[in-house]
């Protein structure tokens, strides 16, 4: 593995930062975030060390699903700026070495999209077939209803044209029909348009819904994904699709495609994420360790995307009812913290009651897990949620820049929280000055993560720790090794790890000062603080640790 190669396959050890332009920074003082405001904060993001920005939808929208209901795929929502502002932003981001990807929401459009208006105008409309219509839809399976608080069916009757249309999500989001070749061409055109303006790829919304619910059924639904990827590679090598594919591992793997991986470049590890929360709730490494052991290896040029929280509810849909209840009891006991019967509408720090040691340990775990870490804006300063905001909006609150909020001069688009997570207690400006802050911790983790390509690229092994609360793993790549250990409980622990092949090596701490030696029979004793974490680089005693890094190979 050479750096020239790892930089070609840049996404495999990227640090992805998801943000919503609307809530990040208001540049024109109208209370709504915008591209001008975001552009002013590029140096903050570059300084944090993230390498790729994921922009949530910024397209014109009636905003009934926070922008995931689009009326024009080729333009910018006027509240957020203009195409000119977008290009200025792209130029500035690129200048600071940041890549940018954006949400690709083409499973559906808004019902206000001109395509849908035309489609519903009559059964003989030229665009009728751009959406999925039926005289007699199959009876609903309640499991198919994604937002049970608002919908009880995935079909809606259209009075005007006398047929039902499919909507996998809200009724105001009719599903596009990728069974129609014109729709497939149009989707490629959308990708091509934004890639031309500098995007390095897309976070693809709701991938299984996109390829499955179509008429006629695609003979080979995955071929469409492979075609899109081939199109992107022709236009711009190294561009990626980051897929929202919340499926069990065995069903998910086909989304990566064959060979080197010719479909979705990276898939979020929803299973690992949910098991990580079960581990955190129990203070036991077991559930996460077993997910990591079960998790298949993605094709060579693909990668898992790791996350703990995102812009949606913390979904626990792939756990058992009992497991879900355990997490609810630990992290969201009151009903207004829960949503859809399957998740929590909270951010991580409030779930940990603001316990900084535990919060730091959880993020250390995230950055050390094999895969590409994806964080949601505000995680780096430990922002909480505002449960007064409706549904999932609770976590999509304005970025907290300074003690007075600093997001906007005007009344902000959404309310910040009160109390111990209010901007006067949690903000960027204060944390920049405080060397023990969460923000500084993130900077350190990101720096170390980027210096340890083994974590993202290497072959990982979950180690036996002999202690239920401690998760340890090692990542090996091209003769270099990083060992990490996390103590999930709040009492100090000593663990002994067996490190085959590292007999008599010296392990050097990467997060603090310190070394520890591996014995002649390959055993190392690692003391861990309560909620402690250690990242260690292995080197034969005669070689300085920095020279033992995979970088030098
Ligand atoms: C998944 C997105 O993450 C979510 O926020 C959205 O509501 C649905 N897709 C529908 O677009």
């Amino acid at each position: 593995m050479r750096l020239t190669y790892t930089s070609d396959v840049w996404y495999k050890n990227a640090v992805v930062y998801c943000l919503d332009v609307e809530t990040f920074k208001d540049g024109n003082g109208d209370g709504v975030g915008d591209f001008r405001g975001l552009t002013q904060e590029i140096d903050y993001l570059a300084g944090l060390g993230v390498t790729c920005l994921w922009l949530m939808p910024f397209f014109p929208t009636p905003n009934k699903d926070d922008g995931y209901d689009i009326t024009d795929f080729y333009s910018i929502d006027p509240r957020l700026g203009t195409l000119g502002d977008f290009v200025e932003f792209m130029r500035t981001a690129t200048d600071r070495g940041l890549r940018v990807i954006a949400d690709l929401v083409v499973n559906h459009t808004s019902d206000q999209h001109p395509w849908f208006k035309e489609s519903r105008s009559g059964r003989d409309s030229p665009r009728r077939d751009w959406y999925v219509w039926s005289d007699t839809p199959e009876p609903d399976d309640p499991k198919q209803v994604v937002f049970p608080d608002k919908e009880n069916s995935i079909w809606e009757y259209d009075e005007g044209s006398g047929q039902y249309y499919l909507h996998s999500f809200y009724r105001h989001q009719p599903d596009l029909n990728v069974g129609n070749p014109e729709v497939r061409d149009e989707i490629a055109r959308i990708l091509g348009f934004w890639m031309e303006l500098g995007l390095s790829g897309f976070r693809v919304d709701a991938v299984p819904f996109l390829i499955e619910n179509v008429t006629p059924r695609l003979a080979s639904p995955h071929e469409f994904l492979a075609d899109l990827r081939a199109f992107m590679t022709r236009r711009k090598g190294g561009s990626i699709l980051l897929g929202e594919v919340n499926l069990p591992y065995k069903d998910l793997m086909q989304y990566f495609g064959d060979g080197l991986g010719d479909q979705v470049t990276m898939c979020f590890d929803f299973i690992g994420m949910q098991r990580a929360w079960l581990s955190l709730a129990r203070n036991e490494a077991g559930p996460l360790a077993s997910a990591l052991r079960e998790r298949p290896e993605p094709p060579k040029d693909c990668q898992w995307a790791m996350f703990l929280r995102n812009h949606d509810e913390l979904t626990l849909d792939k756990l058992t009812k009992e497991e879900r209840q355990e997490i609810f009891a630990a992290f969201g006991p009151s009903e207004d913290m829960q949503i859809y019967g399957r998740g929590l509408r909270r951010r991580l720090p409030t779930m940990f009651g603001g316990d900084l040691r535990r919060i730091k340990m959880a993020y250390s775990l995230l950055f050390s897990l094999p895969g590409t870490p994806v964080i949601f804006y505000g995680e780096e300063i430990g922002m909480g949620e505002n449960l007064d905001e409706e549904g999932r909006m609770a976590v999509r609150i304005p970025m907290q820049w300074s003690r007075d909020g600093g997001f906007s001069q005007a009344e902000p688009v959404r309310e910040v929280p009160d109390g111990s997570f209010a901007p006067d207690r949690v903000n960027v400006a204060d944390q920049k000055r405080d060397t023990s802050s969460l923000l500084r911790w993130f900077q350190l983790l990101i720096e170390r993560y980027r210096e340890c390509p083994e974590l993202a690229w290497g072959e990982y092994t979950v180690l036996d720790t002999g202690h239920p609360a401690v998760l340890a793993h090692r990542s090996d790549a091209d003769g270099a090794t990083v060992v990490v250990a996390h103590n999930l409980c709040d009492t100090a622990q000593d663990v002994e790890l067996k490190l085959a092949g590292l007999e008599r090596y010296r392990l050097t701490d990467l997060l603090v000062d310190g070394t520890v030696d591996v014995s002649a029979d390959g055993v190392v004793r690692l003391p861990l603080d309560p909620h402690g974490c250690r990242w260690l680089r292995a080197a034969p005693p005669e070689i300085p640790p920095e020279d033992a890094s995979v970088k030098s190979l």
Side-chain angles (χ1 to χ4, degrees):
M1 195 204 304
R2 297 179 310 273
L3 278 187
T4 44
Y5 176 61
T6 56
S7 87
D8 276 354
V9 193
W10 60 273
Y11 47 85
K12 268 193 120 155
N13 70 337
V15 178
V16 181
Y17 186 96
C18 169
L19 67 90
D20 189 354
V21 179
E22 186 182 10
T23 51
F24 199 63
K25 179 81 185 208
D26 174 13
N28 67 356
D30 65 355
V32 182
D34 46 40
F35 276 103
R36 289 191 179 192
L38 170 58
T39 307
Q40 291 310 314
E41 298 301 345
I42 286 291
D43 283 322
Y44 165 73
L45 295 165
L48 178 59
V50 301
T51 64
C52 175
L53 306 180
W54 153 20
L55 304 184
M56 287 168 65
F58 50 76
F59 314 95
T61 172
N63 223 6
K64 289 186 178 172
D65 182 18
D66 200 22
Y68 284 88
D69 47 329
I70 295 169
T71 51
D72 179 0
F73 290 98
Y74 296 100
S75 180
I76 305 282
D77 188 326
R79 297 177 321 134
L80 311 182
T82 63
L83 265 181
D85 295 334
F86 174 84
V87 170
E88 296 277 271
F89 151 74
M90 275 305 308
R91 192 227 163 276
T92 315
T94 308
D95 176 62
R96 304 304 199 274
L98 292 171
R99 290 182 180 263
V100 182
I101 64 173
D103 250 291
L104 179 74
V105 189
V106 288
N107 170 69
H108 48 264
T109 66
S110 158
D111 61 359
Q112 300 307 306
H113 196 296
W115 299 339
F116 186 65
K117 288 186 177 169
E118 204 178 321
S119 179
R120 80 189 315 178
S121 67
R123 291 189 185 206
D124 53 0
S125 152
R127 283 203 214 270
R128 184 67 172 176
D129 214 22
W130 277 45
Y131 293 82
V132 184
W133 294 96
S134 171
D135 289 319
T136 50
E138 297 277 312
D140 279 299
D141 171 354
K143 282 207 284 297
Q144 291 176 301
V145 177
V146 178
F147 298 127
D149 59 332
K150 295 270 164 36
E151 304 294 345
N152 52 20
S153 169
I154 57 168
W155 292 96
E156 180 73 5
Y157 189 65
D158 178 50
E159 289 286 348
S161 62
Q163 275 187 310
Y164 293 84
Y165 64 85
L166 177 72
H167 60 88
S168 298
F169 297 94
Y170 296 110
R171 76 188 66 179
H172 58 76
Q173 290 169 324
D175 277 32
L176 274 169
N177 179 21
V178 301
N180 179 332
E182 286 176 9
V183 172
R184 297 200 295 273
D185 281 354
E186 190 68 43
I187 291 176
R189 196 169 294 124
I190 295 167
L191 268 73
F193 178 83
W194 292 104
M195 281 161 58
E196 216 54 50
L197 294 185
L199 290 191
S200 292
F202 303 87
R203 176 267 186 188
V204 194
D205 194 63
V207 190
F209 297 90
L210 170 67
I211 61 171
E212 292 297 344
N213 303 334
V214 301
T215 52
R217 281 189 65 76
L218 292 172
S220 163
H222 284 270
E223 211 173 291
F224 167 53
L225 294 176
D227 284 349
L228 273 188
R229 248 307 272 298
F231 167 81
M232 291 171 72
T233 307
R234 285 198 301 277
R235 290 274 172 105
K236 194 174 182 182
S239 53
I240 62 155
L241 295 174
L242 165 58
E244 185 195 27
V245 187
N246 179 5
L247 293 176
Y249 291 135
K250 66 174 177 15
D251 304 322
L252 177 147
M253 289 310 286
Q254 57 185 321
Y255 286 81
F256 284 124
D258 303 325
L260 287 180
D262 62 354
Q263 295 180 30
V264 176
T265 331
M266 300 206 284
C267 287
F268 286 105
D269 183 0
F270 276 93
I271 304 297
M273 179 279 286
Q274 300 189 34
R275 302 265 199 95
W277 279 102
L278 190 57
S279 276
L280 292 166
R282 290 182 181 166
N283 297 331
E284 275 178 26
L288 177 56
S290 65
L292 291 173
R293 287 190 175 112
E294 281 161 35
R295 192 175 76 169
E297 187 71 19
K300 182 162 174 283
D301 281 350
C302 292
Q303 180 63 302
W304 291 107
M306 307 306 295
F307 67 112
L308 285 172
R309 286 299 291 115
N310 65 11
H311 62 292
D312 282 328
E313 79 281 8
L314 162 56
T315 182
L316 304 168
D317 66 335
K318 298 290 183 288
L319 300 176
T320 65
K321 199 165 161 229
E322 292 70 34
E323 291 168 339
R324 217 168 9 252
Q325 286 310 325
E326 276 182 68
I327 297 177
F328 283 174
F331 297 130
S334 84
E335 220 166 273
D336 71 334
M337 297 169 176
Q338 299 165 15
I339 187 165
Y340 313 136
R342 61 167 187 257
L344 291 172
R345 49 189 210 108
R346 306 195 76 189
R347 282 175 172 258
L348 181 144
T350 48
M351 291 193 259
F352 289 168
D355 180 346
L356 192 55
R357 268 185 330 184
R358 200 175 184 198
I359 297 168
K360 286 183 171 178
M361 181 276 295
Y363 285 111
S364 164
L365 182 62
L366 174 68
F367 279 95
S368 69
L369 288 175
T372 293
V374 182
I375 53 176
F376 185 45
Y377 75 93
E379 289 199 273
E380 72 277 22
I381 53 168
M383 273 168 48
E385 69 279 347
N386 182 358
L387 293 174
D388 294 339
E389 293 289 338
E390 213 238 318
R392 292 169 295 158
M393 295 308 133
V395 302
R396 304 182 191 179
I397 52 176
M399 180 69 179
Q400 297 176 186
W401 294 102
S402 56
R403 289 186 188 178
D404 60 0
F407 162 72
S408 172
Q409 304 292 332
E411 191 67 25
V413 61
R414 262 170 237 139
E415 295 281 327
V416 292
D418 292 333
S420 40
F421 290 89
D424 62 339
R425 310 280 284 278
V426 176
N427 66 69
V428 171
D430 285 351
Q431 293 195 26
K432 272 189 179 169
R433 290 189 290 264
D434 174 0
T435 50
S436 63
S437 68
L438 189 60
L439 179 63
R440 292 302 194 101
W441 181 244
F442 265 74
Q443 280 174 325
L444 177 69
L445 291 174
I446 293 174
E447 196 177 300
R448 292 297 172 271
Y449 171 76
R450 296 284 295 168
E451 286 166 0
C452 295
E454 296 88 340
L455 291 174
W457 292 82
E459 192 178 317
Y460 70 89
T461 315
V462 180
L463 301 169
D464 204 356
T465 66
H467 194 290
V470 179
L471 182 79
H473 68 278
R474 64 184 278 179
S475 288
D476 296 89
D478 290 349
T481 303
V482 171
V483 178
V484 296
H486 289 88
N487 177 11
L488 304 192
C489 74
D490 62 1
T491 52
Q493 305 297 337
D494 262 9
V495 291
E496 281 197 352
L497 305 177
K498 179 96 180 111
L499 297 173
L502 300 183
E503 293 78 9
R504 296 202 175 81
Y505 271 50
R506 171 157 290 177
L507 305 184
T508 303
D509 272 297
L510 298 175
L511 301 176
V512 289
D513 249 358
T515 57
V516 48
D517 291 330
V518 185
S519 71
D521 53 358
V523 175
V524 69
R525 212 189 111 244
L526 276 189
L528 287 161
D529 290 336
H531 292 311
C533 43
R534 294 181 75 170
W535 297 26
L536 305 128
R537 173 173 298 295
E542 65 280 6
I543 298 184
E546 51 286 6
D547 290 346
S549 150
V550 75
K551 274 191 303 191
S552 62
L553 294 169

